[in-house]
Amino acid sequence: MKTCVIPGSFDPFTLGHLDVVERASKLFDKVYVAIMVNSDKNGTFSLAVRKKIAEVSCSELDNVTVITADGLLVDLCGALGASAIVKGIRGVSDFGYEEGMANINRRLSGIETVLLAARPELSFISSTFVRELLKYGRPIEGAVHVNAVQIIKSECLPR
Ligand code: PNS
């Protein structure tokens, strides 16, 4: 059985993320969406809320499980028996960062990273963009899953 892990901050999970998860779910037998801490970022939503948002967004994908995890990504991949890490990239700026992470993770454990190019029509969507829309009271429909809109709006309290 081929298993992959799709790690990220997912703060919050967007339709761009969902597209990558959906495509990975056709390439792998089992997909874990792992909500993890990026030490370079201050989170807006708690890990528990991020998990809820990702779960409602992925609910129609039978071979996808959403988890939260801390520690090193390669250790998580080992514990889950994953043979690959999957990440989406929206362009050259994402590529530079993801190339570095892929090389670190391969150096640490030998695991390969598969980079999926974002669909052009979704490549403008990011978690940062969603948080900006929320900050200025603008609609987030079209950037996140329809079932996640209310959760996101109700949980986006000033921290
Ligand atoms: O969505 P992001 O912010 O690009 O996700 C980054 C994330 C969470 C995947 C990355 O920070 C990560 O892998 N964190 C876990 C710790 C780790 O394994 N770091 C890389 C090796 S030092």
Side-chain angles (χ1 to χ4, degrees), residues 5-10 32-36 65-69 73 76:
V5 174
I6 308 185
S9 309
F10 302 117
Y32 288 96
V33 173
I35 300 170
M36 302 187 76
T65 300
V66 180
I67 58 174
T68 56
L73 173 58
L76 176 70

Side-chain angles (χ1 to χ4, degrees), residues 7-10 17 36-39 41 71-74 87 97-98 101 104-105 108:
S9 309
F10 302 117
H17 294 135
M36 302 187 76
V37 173
N38 180 338
S39 46
K41 295 179 182 171
L72 279 181
L73 173 58
V74 291
K87 291 280 284 190
Y97 172 76
E98 296 302 346
M101 294 300 274
I104 288 170
N105 288 323
L108 285 172

Side-chain angles (χ1 to χ4, degrees), residues 63-118:
N63 61 341
V64 174
T65 300
V66 180
I67 58 174
T68 56
D70 51 20
L72 279 181
L73 173 58
V74 291
D75 292 337
L76 176 70
C77 291
L80 295 172
S83 56
I85 294 163
V86 172
K87 291 280 284 190
I89 50 168
R90 286 162 302 185
V92 284
S93 56
D94 278 355
F95 179 78
Y97 172 76
E98 296 302 346
E99 181 190 28
M101 294 300 274
N103 285 327
I104 288 170
N105 288 323
R106 191 183 325 96
R107 174 69 66 91
L108 285 172
S109 77
I111 194 161
E112 291 290 357
T113 298
V114 177
L115 299 178
L116 297 183

